Amino acid sequence: MSPAKAEVLEVPGPDGVREVRISSPDRVLWPDDGITKIDLARYVASVAEPFLRANADRPVALQRFPTGIDGEEFFSKNPPRGVPAYTRTTMCTYPSGRRHPQLVIDEIASAVWMVQMNTITFHPWPMRSDDNDNPDELRIDLDPQPGRAFADVVEAAYGLKDVLEEIGLTPWVKTSGNRGVHVYARIRRTHEILDVRHGVIGIARELERRLPDLVTTAWWKEERGERIFVDFNQMCRDRTIAAAYSARPLPGAPVSMPVPWSALRDVAVSDFTVRTAPDHLQAEGDAWAGMDDAAGDVAAAIALWDKDVEERGLGEMPFPPDYPKMPGEPRRVQPSKKRHDLPDPQDR
Protein backbone atom coordinates (compact mmCIF):
# COMPACT_ATOMS: atom_id res chain seq x y z
CA MET A 1 0.00 0.00 0.00
CA SER A 2 1.40 3.40 -0.96
CA PRO A 3 1.76 5.99 1.81
CA ALA A 4 -1.03 8.53 2.20
CA LYS A 5 -0.64 11.81 0.41
CA ALA A 6 0.71 14.64 2.54
CA GLU A 7 -1.87 16.96 4.08
CA VAL A 8 -1.57 20.69 4.57
CA LEU A 9 -2.86 22.23 7.79
CA GLU A 10 -3.78 25.88 7.82
CA VAL A 11 -3.03 27.54 11.15
CA PRO A 12 -3.09 31.17 12.26
CA GLY A 13 0.14 33.14 12.07
CA PRO A 14 1.08 36.69 13.02
CA ASP A 15 0.40 37.99 9.49
CA GLY A 16 -2.33 35.65 8.32
CA VAL A 17 -2.63 31.94 7.67
CA ARG A 18 0.37 29.61 7.69
CA GLU A 19 0.33 26.38 5.76
CA VAL A 20 2.17 23.44 7.38
CA ARG A 21 2.72 20.29 5.34
CA ILE A 22 2.26 17.01 7.22
CA SER A 23 3.80 14.02 5.45
CA SER A 24 2.65 10.46 6.25
CA PRO A 25 -0.46 11.89 7.94
CA ASP A 26 -1.95 8.44 8.56
CA ARG A 27 1.11 7.15 10.41
CA VAL A 28 -0.24 5.66 13.64
CA LEU A 29 1.58 7.08 16.65
CA TRP A 30 -0.53 5.42 19.36
CA PRO A 31 -1.27 1.91 18.01
CA ASP A 32 -3.76 0.91 20.70
CA ASP A 33 -5.75 4.09 20.19
CA GLY A 34 -5.51 4.58 16.44
CA ILE A 35 -4.25 8.15 16.86
CA THR A 36 -2.25 9.31 13.87
CA LYS A 37 0.29 11.98 13.07
CA ILE A 38 -2.35 14.23 11.53
CA ASP A 39 -4.54 13.76 14.62
CA LEU A 40 -1.68 15.01 16.81
CA ALA A 41 -0.97 17.94 14.50
CA ARG A 42 -4.64 18.96 14.60
CA TYR A 43 -4.65 18.61 18.38
CA VAL A 44 -1.66 20.94 18.76
CA ALA A 45 -3.30 23.48 16.44
CA SER A 46 -6.53 23.29 18.44
CA VAL A 47 -4.86 24.26 21.74
CA ALA A 48 -2.74 27.02 20.21
CA GLU A 49 -3.54 29.89 22.55
CA PRO A 50 -2.91 28.20 25.94
CA PHE A 51 -0.03 26.14 24.51
CA LEU A 52 1.77 29.31 23.42
CA ARG A 53 0.99 31.14 26.64
CA ALA A 54 2.70 28.36 28.59
CA ASN A 55 5.56 27.44 26.26
CA ALA A 56 6.41 30.20 23.79
CA ASP A 57 9.66 32.17 23.83
CA ARG A 58 11.64 29.36 25.49
CA PRO A 59 14.35 27.02 24.21
CA VAL A 60 12.64 23.70 23.56
CA ALA A 61 13.88 20.13 23.16
CA LEU A 62 11.83 17.67 21.13
CA GLN A 63 11.04 14.07 22.10
CA ARG A 64 10.63 12.42 18.71
CA PHE A 65 9.16 9.07 17.67
CA PRO A 66 9.65 8.42 13.94
CA THR A 67 7.47 5.29 13.94
CA GLY A 68 5.16 5.87 16.91
CA ILE A 69 5.38 5.35 20.65
CA ASP A 70 6.33 1.68 20.40
CA GLY A 71 9.35 2.40 18.21
CA GLU A 72 12.62 4.25 18.47
CA GLU A 73 12.65 7.55 20.33
CA PHE A 74 15.26 10.26 20.71
CA PHE A 75 15.62 13.75 22.12
CA SER A 76 16.42 16.45 19.59
CA LYS A 77 18.17 19.54 20.92
CA ASN A 78 20.00 20.73 17.81
CA PRO A 79 17.58 22.09 15.21
CA PRO A 80 16.86 19.45 12.55
CA ARG A 81 17.17 20.14 8.86
CA GLY A 82 14.47 22.10 7.13
CA VAL A 83 13.54 24.52 9.91
CA PRO A 84 10.92 26.93 8.51
CA ALA A 85 11.89 30.56 8.10
CA TYR A 86 9.28 31.56 10.70
CA THR A 87 10.87 29.37 13.41
CA ARG A 88 13.81 30.92 15.21
CA THR A 89 16.56 29.53 17.42
CA THR A 90 18.41 30.79 20.47
CA MET A 91 21.92 29.97 21.65
CA CYS A 92 21.97 27.85 24.82
CA THR A 93 24.76 27.08 27.26
CA TYR A 94 24.88 23.56 28.70
CA PRO A 95 26.31 22.22 31.98
CA SER A 96 29.47 21.13 30.15
CA GLY A 97 30.03 24.71 29.01
CA ARG A 98 29.38 23.94 25.35
CA ARG A 99 26.90 26.04 23.43
CA HIS A 100 24.59 25.39 20.50
CA PRO A 101 21.25 26.68 19.21
CA GLN A 102 17.87 25.31 20.22
CA LEU A 103 14.50 25.89 18.65
CA VAL A 104 12.04 28.43 20.02
CA ILE A 105 8.26 28.35 19.52
CA ASP A 106 6.79 31.80 18.80
CA GLU A 107 3.69 30.73 16.88
CA ILE A 108 1.67 27.56 16.65
CA ALA A 109 2.86 26.80 13.11
CA SER A 110 6.30 26.07 14.59
CA ALA A 111 4.83 23.53 17.01
CA VAL A 112 2.79 21.91 14.24
CA TRP A 113 5.93 21.68 12.09
CA MET A 114 7.66 19.98 15.02
CA VAL A 115 4.87 17.38 14.99
CA GLN A 116 5.64 16.96 11.29
CA MET A 117 9.17 16.10 12.49
CA ASN A 118 7.61 13.32 14.63
CA THR A 119 7.63 15.22 17.92
CA ILE A 120 5.19 13.87 20.49
CA THR A 121 6.37 15.62 23.67
CA PHE A 122 7.73 19.17 23.90
CA HIS A 123 10.28 19.97 26.61
CA PRO A 124 10.69 23.73 27.15
CA TRP A 125 13.33 25.27 29.40
CA PRO A 126 12.27 27.30 32.47
CA MET A 127 14.05 30.32 30.97
CA ARG A 128 13.11 32.75 28.22
CA SER A 129 14.97 32.80 24.94
CA ASP A 130 16.83 36.05 25.64
CA ASP A 131 18.40 34.78 28.89
CA ASN A 132 19.00 31.09 29.59
CA ASP A 133 20.77 31.82 32.88
CA ASN A 134 17.97 33.34 34.97
CA PRO A 135 14.70 31.35 35.11
CA ASP A 136 11.29 32.99 35.16
CA GLU A 137 9.63 29.73 36.18
CA LEU A 138 10.09 27.56 39.26
CA ARG A 139 9.15 23.92 38.58
CA ILE A 140 8.75 20.97 40.92
CA ASP A 141 8.02 17.42 39.74
CA LEU A 142 6.24 15.19 42.26
CA ASP A 143 7.26 11.68 41.25
CA PRO A 144 5.42 8.80 42.98
CA GLN A 145 7.47 5.73 43.79
CA PRO A 146 5.99 2.24 43.39
CA GLY A 147 3.23 1.69 45.93
CA ARG A 148 1.82 5.22 45.71
CA ALA A 149 -1.33 6.21 43.85
CA PHE A 150 -2.20 9.41 42.01
CA ALA A 151 -4.37 10.42 44.97
CA ASP A 152 -1.27 10.40 47.19
CA VAL A 153 0.56 12.69 44.77
CA VAL A 154 -2.39 15.06 44.85
CA GLU A 155 -2.17 15.32 48.64
CA ALA A 156 1.55 16.04 48.36
CA ALA A 157 0.76 18.74 45.79
CA TYR A 158 -1.62 20.47 48.21
CA GLY A 159 1.10 20.41 50.86
CA LEU A 160 3.51 21.95 48.37
CA LYS A 161 0.92 24.58 47.50
CA ASP A 162 0.84 25.63 51.17
CA VAL A 163 4.62 25.98 51.33
CA LEU A 164 4.77 28.05 48.15
CA GLU A 165 1.97 30.37 49.21
CA GLU A 166 3.59 30.91 52.61
CA ILE A 167 6.76 32.21 50.93
CA GLY A 168 4.82 34.54 48.63
CA LEU A 169 4.69 32.50 45.43
CA THR A 170 1.57 31.65 43.42
CA PRO A 171 1.47 27.92 42.58
CA TRP A 172 -0.04 26.47 39.43
CA VAL A 173 -0.61 22.76 38.91
CA LYS A 174 -0.92 20.31 36.03
CA THR A 175 -1.13 16.59 35.61
CA SER A 176 2.12 15.16 34.28
CA GLY A 177 0.27 12.99 31.78
CA ASN A 178 1.73 10.01 33.61
CA ARG A 179 1.53 9.15 37.33
CA GLY A 180 2.81 12.41 38.78
CA VAL A 181 1.92 16.06 39.25
CA HIS A 182 3.88 19.15 38.22
CA VAL A 183 3.72 22.34 40.28
CA TYR A 184 4.97 25.63 38.81
CA ALA A 185 5.35 29.22 39.97
CA ARG A 186 6.28 32.26 37.92
CA ILE A 187 9.25 34.13 39.38
CA ARG A 188 10.99 37.37 38.56
CA ARG A 189 14.27 36.86 36.70
CA THR A 190 16.53 37.97 39.52
CA HIS A 191 18.59 34.83 40.24
CA GLU A 192 20.73 32.40 38.28
CA ILE A 193 19.57 28.81 37.77
CA LEU A 194 21.82 27.30 40.48
CA ASP A 195 20.42 29.73 43.05
CA VAL A 196 16.86 28.89 41.99
CA ARG A 197 17.70 25.18 42.28
CA HIS A 198 18.81 25.84 45.85
CA GLY A 199 15.49 27.54 46.47
CA VAL A 200 13.68 24.46 45.18
CA ILE A 201 15.76 22.25 47.48
CA GLY A 202 14.80 24.52 50.39
CA ILE A 203 11.12 24.16 49.47
CA ALA A 204 11.45 20.39 49.04
CA ARG A 205 13.13 19.96 52.43
CA GLU A 206 10.45 22.04 54.12
CA LEU A 207 7.74 19.90 52.50
CA GLU A 208 9.57 16.75 53.61
CA ARG A 209 9.64 17.99 57.21
CA ARG A 210 5.89 18.54 57.12
CA LEU A 211 5.01 15.28 55.36
CA PRO A 212 7.84 12.87 56.22
CA ASP A 213 5.79 9.73 55.61
CA LEU A 214 4.49 10.94 52.25
CA VAL A 215 7.37 12.72 50.48
CA THR A 216 11.13 12.46 50.27
CA THR A 217 14.06 14.44 48.87
CA ALA A 218 16.27 11.31 48.71
CA TRP A 219 18.09 11.34 45.37
CA TRP A 220 18.95 7.64 45.52
CA LYS A 221 16.02 5.35 44.80
CA GLU A 222 17.08 2.84 47.44
CA GLU A 223 16.38 5.47 50.11
CA ARG A 224 12.95 6.60 48.91
CA GLY A 225 10.80 3.67 49.93
CA GLU A 226 7.18 4.16 48.86
CA ARG A 227 7.25 7.92 49.26
CA ILE A 228 6.81 10.59 46.60
CA PHE A 229 10.09 12.01 45.35
CA VAL A 230 10.25 15.82 45.20
CA ASP A 231 12.50 16.05 42.16
CA PHE A 232 14.58 19.16 42.82
CA ASN A 233 16.93 18.37 39.92
CA GLN A 234 14.30 19.25 37.35
CA MET A 235 15.35 22.80 38.26
CA CYS A 236 18.75 22.40 36.60
CA ARG A 237 20.12 23.82 33.39
CA ASP A 238 19.18 21.58 30.43
CA ARG A 239 16.69 19.58 32.53
CA THR A 240 13.12 19.88 31.36
CA ILE A 241 9.58 18.77 32.14
CA ALA A 242 6.90 17.84 29.61
CA ALA A 243 5.19 21.02 28.45
CA ALA A 244 1.72 22.07 29.48
CA TYR A 245 -0.76 20.71 26.92
CA SER A 246 1.89 18.39 25.49
CA ALA A 247 0.96 14.81 24.61
CA ARG A 248 2.84 11.96 26.27
CA PRO A 249 4.08 8.74 24.60
CA LEU A 250 1.85 6.46 26.66
CA PRO A 251 -1.21 4.33 25.90
CA GLY A 252 -4.33 6.46 25.66
CA ALA A 253 -2.41 9.50 24.34
CA PRO A 254 -2.59 11.41 27.65
CA VAL A 255 -1.86 15.11 27.84
CA SER A 256 -0.06 17.06 30.56
CA MET A 257 -3.04 19.19 31.54
CA PRO A 258 -3.22 22.36 33.63
CA VAL A 259 -6.11 22.20 36.08
CA PRO A 260 -7.42 24.56 38.77
CA TRP A 261 -6.46 23.65 42.32
CA SER A 262 -10.14 23.34 43.17
CA ALA A 263 -10.48 20.46 40.70
CA LEU A 264 -7.25 18.55 41.36
CA ARG A 265 -8.75 16.04 43.79
CA ASP A 266 -11.48 15.17 41.30
CA VAL A 267 -9.42 14.52 38.16
CA ALA A 268 -7.79 11.40 36.78
CA VAL A 269 -4.88 11.32 34.35
CA SER A 270 -7.11 9.50 31.85
CA ASP A 271 -9.49 12.48 31.77
CA PHE A 272 -7.15 14.44 29.49
CA THR A 273 -6.04 13.00 26.17
CA VAL A 274 -5.31 14.19 22.65
CA ARG A 275 -8.96 13.46 21.88
CA THR A 276 -10.62 14.90 25.00
CA ALA A 277 -8.43 17.84 26.07
CA PRO A 278 -9.69 20.33 23.44
CA ASP A 279 -13.32 19.90 24.52
CA HIS A 280 -12.33 20.21 28.17
CA LEU A 281 -10.41 23.38 27.38
CA GLN A 282 -13.35 24.78 25.45
CA ALA A 283 -15.70 24.12 28.37
CA GLU A 284 -13.47 25.11 31.30
CA GLY A 285 -10.91 27.53 29.86
CA ASP A 286 -7.18 27.67 30.46
CA ALA A 287 -6.43 27.01 34.14
CA TRP A 288 -3.09 28.80 33.72
CA ALA A 289 -4.44 31.92 32.02
CA GLY A 290 -3.29 34.26 34.81
CA MET A 291 0.18 32.82 35.36
CA ASP A 292 2.15 35.59 33.63
CA ASP A 293 0.57 38.19 35.92
CA ALA A 294 1.61 36.37 39.09
CA ALA A 295 5.41 36.49 39.09
CA GLY A 296 6.83 36.35 42.61
CA ASP A 297 10.18 36.78 44.36
CA VAL A 298 12.26 33.61 44.64
CA ALA A 299 14.38 35.11 47.44
CA ALA A 300 12.17 33.62 50.17
CA ALA A 301 12.70 30.14 48.73
CA ILE A 302 16.46 30.68 48.68
CA ALA A 303 16.18 31.83 52.30
CA LEU A 304 14.81 28.37 53.17
CA TRP A 305 17.96 26.87 51.66
CA ASP A 306 20.18 29.31 53.56
CA LYS A 307 18.45 28.47 56.84
CA ASP A 308 18.96 24.75 56.27
CA VAL A 309 22.66 25.34 55.61
CA GLU A 310 23.24 27.71 58.53
CA GLU A 311 20.99 26.22 61.21
CA ARG A 312 20.62 22.56 60.28
CA GLY A 313 23.97 21.88 58.66
CA LEU A 314 22.35 20.64 55.46
CA GLY A 315 24.40 21.11 52.33
CA GLU A 316 24.43 20.49 48.62
CA MET A 317 22.42 17.69 47.05
CA PRO A 318 23.55 15.42 44.19
CA PHE A 319 23.31 16.76 40.66
CA PRO A 320 22.11 14.76 37.65
CA PRO A 321 24.60 12.12 36.50
CA ASP A 322 25.37 13.89 33.21
CA TYR A 323 26.57 17.00 35.07
CA PRO A 324 30.22 17.73 35.76
CA LYS A 325 31.19 17.49 39.41
CA MET A 326 29.72 20.56 41.12
CA PRO A 327 31.12 22.58 44.06
CA GLY A 328 30.16 21.13 47.45
CA GLU A 329 28.36 18.17 45.90
CA PRO A 330 28.43 14.90 47.87
CA ARG A 331 30.10 11.94 46.21
CA ARG A 332 27.92 10.33 43.56
CA VAL A 333 27.93 6.94 45.19
CA GLN A 334 24.91 4.84 46.00
CA PRO A 335 24.48 4.94 49.81
CA SER A 336 24.69 1.15 50.12
CA LYS A 337 28.05 1.23 48.32
CA LYS A 338 29.46 4.32 49.98
CA ARG A 339 32.80 4.16 51.79
CA HIS A 340 32.39 5.95 55.09
CA ASP A 341 36.13 6.39 55.60
CA LEU A 342 36.14 8.99 52.82
CA PRO A 343 34.74 12.46 53.61
CA ASP A 344 32.18 14.10 51.37
CA PRO A 345 33.27 17.40 49.82
CA GLN A 346 30.44 19.17 51.68
CA ASP A 347 31.86 17.92 54.99
CA ARG A 348 35.23 19.57 54.44
Side-chain angles (χ1 to χ4, degrees):
M1 182 182 295
S2 60
K5 183 180 178 181
E7 291 193 33
V8 174
L9 280 189
E10 293 187 346
V11 298
D15 301 310
V17 172
R18 297 274 196 208
E19 293 186 343
V20 185
R21 181 179 181 273
I22 306 296
S23 62
S24 304
D26 61 348
R27 177 180 296 150
V28 178
L29 301 181
W30 284 269
D32 292 343
D33 307 283
I35 295 175
T36 64
K37 187 175 177 180
I38 193 67
D39 292 331
L40 180 59
R42 288 172 177 150
Y43 162 75
V44 170
S46 75
V47 297
E49 184 177 345
F51 182 95
L52 292 173
R53 187 159 41 234
N55 304 307
D57 190 31
R58 302 181 184 279
V60 62
L62 311 179
Q63 191 176 1
R64 297 166 64 189
F65 295 78
T67 60
I69 68 169
D70 292 338
E72 174 196 6
E73 70 170 287
F74 62 96
F75 275 83
S76 178
K77 296 180 181 180
N78 284 302
R81 293 181 181 178
V83 177
Y86 53 76
T87 302
R88 66 185 172 100
T89 63
T90 187
M91 191 63 68
C92 291
T93 302
Y94 296 86
S96 63
R98 66 186 176 86
R99 303 178 77 235
H100 70 66
Q102 278 199 211
L103 294 168
V104 177
I105 299 171
D106 290 315
E107 56 179 285
I108 204 61
S110 294
V112 173
W113 171 79
M114 293 170 192
V115 173
Q116 153 62 15
M117 301 303 292
N118 302 306
T119 299
I120 286 182
T121 305
F122 299 84
H123 293 264
W125 285 35
M127 298 86 145
R128 297 290 181 174
S129 64
D130 64 345
D131 178 2
N132 60 76
D133 291 323
N134 289 26
D136 75 327
E137 200 164 71
L138 183 149
R139 302 172 172 179
I140 298 178
D141 178 10
L142 296 175
D143 181 13
Q145 302 306 289
R148 286 292 180 178
F150 183 73
D152 298 318
V153 190
V154 167
E155 293 312 308
Y158 279 107
L160 178 55
K161 176 178 182 286
D162 290 341
V163 174
L164 291 170
E165 289 177 339
E166 287 170 20
I167 60 173
L169 297 178
T170 302
W172 307 80
V173 66
K174 66 184 179 77
T175 65
S176 70
N178 197 350
R179 298 179 61 242
V181 167
H182 298 156
V183 179
Y184 285 41
R186 279 283 192 272
I187 55 175
R188 291 188 282 276
R189 298 195 287 178
T190 55
H191 289 74
E192 202 270 341
I193 181 68
L194 288 174
D195 292 329
V196 177
R197 175 181 176 272
H198 283 161
V200 167
I201 292 173
I203 291 166
R205 284 170 167 163
E206 176 60 24
L207 181 63
E208 185 178 36
R209 282 189 287 269
R210 297 183 184 193
L211 302 172
D213 296 327
L214 183 61
V215 305
T216 180
T217 60
W219 175 248
W220 298 99
K221 289 185 178 180
E222 66 182 41
E223 295 186 319
R224 295 177 189 170
E226 293 187 352
R227 291 171 292 176
I228 295 156
F229 175 47
V230 188
D231 191 351
F232 52 86
N233 270 337
Q234 292 294 359
M235 203 69 230
C236 281
R237 183 183 299 276
D238 194 31
R239 303 290 282 197
T240 56
I241 291 176
Y245 298 103
S246 184
R248 303 303 304 274
L250 298 166
V255 167
S256 183
M257 190 73 179
V259 295
W261 282 103
S262 59
L264 184 61
R265 284 195 175 97
D266 300 320
V267 304
V269 174
S270 58
D271 291 343
F272 311 114
T273 71
V274 166
R275 288 192 169 124
T276 65
D279 287 343
H280 177 86
L281 187 61
Q282 182 70 28
E284 303 294 336
D286 179 14
W288 282 13
M291 183 186 279
D292 285 338
D293 299 323
D297 189 348
V298 76
I302 297 171
L304 291 176
W305 158 269
D306 291 338
K307 186 174 182 179
D308 281 339
V309 171
E310 296 163 6
E311 298 183 10
R312 298 184 176 95
L314 300 175
E316 188 58 270
M317 298 285 274
F319 280 78
D322 58 328
Y323 261 58
K325 187 68 175 175
M326 301 297 286
E329 183 186 3
R331 283 182 290 133
R332 294 181 190 173
V333 181
Q334 219 171 303
S336 60
K337 299 178 180 178
K338 186 175 181 179
R339 285 181 56 185
H340 296 283
D341 58 327
L342 297 176
D344 270 334
Q346 62 183 4
D347 296 331
R348 295 173 184 169

